[in-house]
Amino acid sequence: MPDLTPLPDPQLQFFADLRVDVGTPQEVGHTVHGLRRLIPILGGSATGDGWSARVLPGGADFQLIVNDRLSELDARYVLETDGGDLIYVQNRAVRSGPAELIARLVRGEPVDPAQIYFRCSPSFETASTALGWIAERMFVGTGARYPDAVAMRFFELR
């Protein structure tokens, strides 16, 4: 289509590093779709350029272990910024890797994050007018699962 203006390539801009502290998984069991688990979110922290927040307890990561190599994650929780603003986070992710390493993660054992594909797509909602722009952008990220926490780095997709 020769009449179209070339489109800009997307760029990544650092948004925040997060540490989300997690509790003992609650297993629903093997359903028709896979192994259903719920991981309680106990707290944590977020740090961006010029801002920080804490992860409020009470959220959860709703997991579906699809097969021995693939997990689909859907975490929902709230951040409270140092200024008192609240941000609702919904973070959908895919985690995959060799079956033996995924089994270790499911059992809560440490695994080298470089051996696991963990990519996510967080979205945000807030009543804060100053932070309202975050609901109008797309974000992507990477993550790593540890026995008692999940570490993530989020980027704004520009």
Side-chain angles (χ1 to χ4, degrees), residues 64-148:
L64 177 63
I65 313 301
V66 177
N67 58 44
D68 62 356
R69 296 181 47 80
L70 174 65
S71 301
E72 296 175 353
L73 316 175
D74 184 5
R76 298 166 189 232
Y77 51 93
V78 176
L79 301 176
E80 181 179 27
T81 68
D82 286 347
D85 292 315
L86 299 178
I87 302 169
Y88 171 75
V89 181
Q90 180 174 6
N91 189 24
R92 294 188 175 118
V94 171
R95 187 174 64 207
S96 64
E100 61 276 4
L101 296 182
I102 295 298
R104 287 178 51 198
L105 281 177
V106 170
R107 289 191 303 264
E109 298 173 9
V111 173
D112 178 1
Q115 301 295 312
I116 302 294
Y117 180 87
F118 186 149
R119 300 295 184 268
C120 57
S121 176
S123 59
F124 306 99
E125 295 178 34
T126 184
S128 167
T129 54
L131 297 173
W133 68 272
I134 64 175
E136 301 169 354
R137 300 291 186 269
M138 292 186 73
F139 295 82
V140 295
T142 62
R145 176 69 155 98
Y146 298 97
D148 63 347

